Amino acid sequence: MKLNITRTILIVFTVLTLALAACSSQGATPTSSAAAEAQGATSSVFADPVSIVDSVSYTDSGGYYHVAGAVQNNSDIDITNVQLTLEVKDASGKSLLQDTSGNSVDSLAITPFFTVLTPGEVSPFDYYMDTKSGTPASYNLSVTGHAQGSTTRANVVVSNVQTFTDNLGTTYIVGELVNQGSTAAQVKTLSGALVDASGKVLAANNSLNLVEYLGPSGSANNTDRGPFEIAIDGPVSNVANFVTYVEANTTDTESQVPVDITYTNGYTDAMGGYHLVGTVTNKSNTSIHFAIQGGLYAADKTVLDANYVFVGPMASGTTLPFDIAIWSVVDYVASAAEKVSSYTMQVDPSWVNTEPAPLDNLTASNVTTTTKSGNEWDFTGQVTNDSSDALDSEDVYIGIYDAQGNLIGATSTVISPTGDSIATGSTDSFSAYVSLAPSVDLSILSYKITVIGVRH
């Protein structure tokens, strides 16, 4: 994700299209029962079980060269482990590809975003590379691998969706995933593509900003839905529409995360950054760490932005403050920020992990605070590991409170070891800052610092 200093946003409202047309089984020939069994009991053989239906190349605003497109399952069976072989060459025919060790190679294997393609399904793909080794002049793609898979799709749809395109050409598709099925759903991948008037893929990406577990339709606390964001690098020409692709499977596991999230306030700081502030209490009987997914909505229920913050590990029964900040859309689009009417906050069970090792309560010392223009409050201090064990990190949480003791802001930072661990008796420094609402009088505020020693 790119951090823009200034952004001029073009808001593009489009009608969501999700047309995944199943191709006919061209070239199908009967097989013997033995051959069918060898192929996983499929009733026919397809000359091209997987095909590349679109491919394109472009260079984004950061100078990265992309090869994007889509593949389709043309067979009547589920297919997994789809592999594409990519070649990228300069004008002289020299390969510009490198392996993970930086060695020049003739080709690389890439994969589409979907892990399994059901019959007729389409999945986009995107490969990007820097151009330090040369200017790409051509590319070649071919399907070189696949295997039979198996999956049961869930009835998950995209709702309340819209797009924003910034001055760097990055397009953000924001919306909500909704499980309309009677069983829980696990979202394997969510991806999006920008397409031209004919539906050809021009650019694509997958999302890392989403709720992956969705409860059955009608679940309490609206856990059958969650906001998402897909960021697609640009600029991209001739965009007429966008498409979203959801790979979600049914699951028998119904998960509830034993945490309580309390919203305290939301505000825009002097720099235009939006903050969603609250507290979270661990109601489970073990230490856990997790992410809180936040969503911002307009009055018409369309999603304006989605974002998350990691919290923990935190011990059973403890409460910590949090601030979901650095939003991709509302921080840079005044018109979007002005439309914020409601919010959601939820913990995705897919992102919850237990922490088997005991946690240590530590103390911050020699804390100094400095105020800066724009209602920024800076903190510096030290933490001494006075536990009996070496630590992997020391997590610092700072809550900001008004004169009535209400939480109005929060920030956090992590002290990491300079070596393998933080030794017993070691003293290390930390610094953190929080940007508060311009109307807040810093002179009447107080703060509380919580430090957690983490060992694995």
Side-chain angles (χ1 to χ4, degrees), residues 77-432:
I77 61 171
D78 295 343
I79 289 180
T80 188
N81 296 335
V82 175
Q83 178 177 293
L84 309 178
T85 296
L86 171 67
E87 299 174 352
V88 178
K89 298 179 180 181
D90 64 14
S92 69
K94 175 188 173 183
S95 175
L96 299 179
L97 296 174
Q98 296 179 341
D99 61 20
T100 54
S101 299
N103 302 312
S104 179
V105 293
D106 292 333
S107 63
L108 287 176
I110 65 173
T111 59
F113 296 134
F114 275 32
T115 57
V116 178
L117 285 166
T118 62
E121 269 191 332
V122 173
S123 170
F125 62 85
D126 176 68
Y127 173 83
Y128 66 93
M129 55 181 281
D130 64 44
T131 54
K132 295 177 182 178
S133 59
T135 302
S138 64
Y139 72 90
N140 184 64
L141 274 169
S142 59
V143 179
T144 52
H146 56 79
Q148 181 172 340
S150 178
T151 190
T152 303
R153 285 287 184 255
N155 184 16
V156 174
V157 301
V158 171
S159 180
N160 299 322
V161 67
Q162 59 182 316
T163 65
F164 301 86
T165 302
D166 67 21
N167 67 318
L168 293 180
T170 302
T171 296
Y172 298 94
I173 304 174
V174 290
E176 195 172 46
L177 290 175
V178 181
N179 182 10
Q180 296 185 334
S182 59
T183 59
Q186 188 71 39
V187 181
K188 302 293 290 184
T189 60
L190 169 67
S191 50
L194 304 179
V195 299
D196 64 15
S198 69
K200 178 182 178 180
V201 172
L202 302 174
N205 202 3
N206 67 328
S207 175
L208 300 176
N209 186 349
L210 74 159
V211 175
E212 296 177 358
Y213 174 88
L214 301 172
S217 178
S219 293
N221 301 318
N222 293 322
T223 55
D224 58 352
R225 64 198 61 214
F228 70 82
E229 174 198 272
I230 306 169
I232 302 177
D233 293 328
V236 180
S237 302
N238 302 317
V239 175
N241 212 331
F242 67 92
V243 182
T244 55
Y245 308 80
V246 182
E247 182 187 13
N249 301 331
T250 59
T251 176
D252 294 331
T253 303
E254 294 192 14
S255 300
Q256 298 292 329
V257 182
V259 300
D260 283 347
I261 301 175
T262 301
Y263 166 84
T264 59
N265 63 303
Y267 67 92
T268 301
D269 64 32
M271 297 298 293
Y274 194 82
H275 300 256
L276 194 58
V277 182
T279 62
V280 59
T281 301
N282 178 7
K283 307 289 284 189
S284 74
N285 57 6
T286 187
S287 298
I288 55 176
H289 52 102
F290 49 88
I292 299 174
Q293 181 80 9
L296 301 177
Y297 294 75
D300 63 1
K301 301 305 180 183
T302 54
V303 178
L304 295 168
D305 215 340
N307 197 5
Y308 59 89
V309 64
F310 288 106
V311 180
M314 59 186 300
S316 173
T318 58
T319 298
L320 290 174
F322 67 85
D323 175 14
I324 306 178
I326 312 178
W327 301 76
S328 297
V329 177
V330 299
D331 281 10
Y332 305 102
V333 191
S335 59
E338 292 168 355
K339 292 180 181 178
V340 174
S341 175
S342 61
Y343 67 91
T344 59
M345 294 187 294
Q346 63 198 107
V347 175
D348 183 353
S350 300
W351 290 17
V352 176
N353 291 287
T354 59
E355 187 67 36
L359 303 176
D360 296 292
N361 295 319
L362 306 178
T363 303
S365 61
N366 300 321
V367 177
T368 60
T369 64
T370 305
T371 58
K372 294 184 178 179
S373 61
N375 257 15
E376 179 182 309
W377 205 2
D378 292 6
F379 296 81
T380 60
Q382 294 179 318
V383 174
T384 298
N385 177 10
D386 55 11
S387 73
S388 58
D389 296 286
L391 300 174
D392 291 302
S393 69
E394 294 164 338
D395 299 350
V396 182
Y397 294 86
I398 305 174
I400 312 299
Y401 300 85
D402 65 15
Q404 289 72 45
N406 300 310
L407 179 72
I408 62 167
T411 187
S412 62
T413 189
V414 175
I415 300 174
S416 300
T418 55
D420 293 334
S421 61
I422 301 173
T424 299
S426 173
T427 298
D428 296 279
S429 300
F430 71 87
S431 63

